[in-house]
Amino acid sequence: MDPMAAAEGSGRRSARERLLEAADRLFYLEGISKVGIDRVLEESGVAKGSLYYNFGGKDDLVRAYLQNRHARWALRLDERVAAETTAQAKVLAIFDALGTLFAEPDFNGCAFHNAAAESSPGSGSDLAIKDFRTWLHELFAVLVTDAGYRDPQRLTSQLVLLYDGANIAAAMDANPYAADAARQAAQSLLGSAPRL
């Protein structure tokens, strides 16, 4: 992409927004380690000085990219979960949202699983991944605790495994129906798990 054309087409978007938009697209589709800063700068039409002013470097840009992915996914799940009225349906709504995600034409696996494969301990991506994983576990834990299951910690771990397995199968096997299989397993699990 021509940097001048990118800058002209950017309208009122800030340099930060353009950097994040380019980073989101490139890091997700091609991989964080494969995409250099010069490529992000070229795609965004932003000067190198603006990158360092807004992020300090690639590590901070990667962390912001993952934080944005996390925020968008959390919003999407919040909307799906809030639309349901029963505790079981709220849990299953997470798997329904995965099914919608897997069917998107640019689906390239879970951004957090992909980033974890390239992440170094203590890096910006590592910290963002840990935040996401904590949030994911807490999301399931709150739902199963509110539903009155006897062993919410165990059930949470099982549901997270189904969530992760669906993501991996959808990406590695190019199987957009992996979420349906995980949803059915989650439904069976919820139906048989003892309640208080």
Side-chain angles (χ1 to χ4, degrees):
M1 173 182 268
D2 176 26
M4 294 304 289
E8 289 171 13
S10 65
R12 297 174 190 216
R13 293 182 342 225
S14 68
R16 180 181 177 79
E17 291 169 327
R18 288 183 281 148
L19 285 163
L20 280 171
E21 181 182 296
D24 185 80
R25 183 177 60 257
L26 294 170
F27 291 160
Y28 180 68
L29 293 177
E30 298 180 24
I32 293 168
S33 63
K34 291 181 181 176
V35 176
I37 283 300
D38 289 339
R39 179 95 184 281
V40 174
L41 294 172
E42 180 184 334
E43 290 283 325
S44 65
V46 172
K48 191 175 274 193
S50 291
L51 168 76
Y52 292 109
Y53 175 78
N54 283 285
F55 296 103
K58 184 176 180 180
D59 192 52
D60 289 341
L61 179 61
V62 169
R63 186 173 186 180
Y65 148 69
L66 290 170
Q67 288 170 331
N68 279 356
R69 284 259 165 180
H70 178 168
R72 289 196 313 263
W73 185 237
L75 179 62
R76 197 167 171 177
L77 288 186
D78 286 347
E79 290 171 355
R80 291 293 284 263
V81 169
E84 301 298 337
T85 56
T86 69
Q88 183 172 334
K90 288 179 182 294
V91 172
L92 297 178
I94 296 169
F95 295 95
D96 294 336
L98 282 178
T100 303
L101 177 68
F102 298 166
E104 292 176 359
D106 64 345
F107 176 71
N108 192 34
C110 172
F112 297 92
H113 291 164
N114 296 346
E118 305 179 53
S119 182
S120 300
S123 66
S125 60
D126 182 52
L127 298 173
I129 292 162
K130 286 178 181 174
D131 288 344
F132 176 79
R133 297 300 292 178
T134 298
W135 167 83
L136 182 64
H137 282 263
E138 288 174 356
L139 173 65
F140 279 114
V142 166
L143 293 174
V144 298
T145 299
D146 290 350
Y149 285 98
R150 188 174 300 158
D151 190 352
Q153 184 175 6
R154 180 176 180 193
L155 189 53
T156 294
S157 294
Q158 292 168 328
L159 291 167
V160 170
L161 284 171
L162 289 173
Y163 177 97
D164 288 338
N167 268 290
I168 292 167
M172 294 183 73
D173 301 334
N175 180 3
Y177 305 107
D180 292 334
R183 185 189 194 282
Q184 289 173 16
Q187 190 168 17
S188 296
L189 190 59
L190 293 169
S192 62
R195 294 190 187 226
L196 297 172

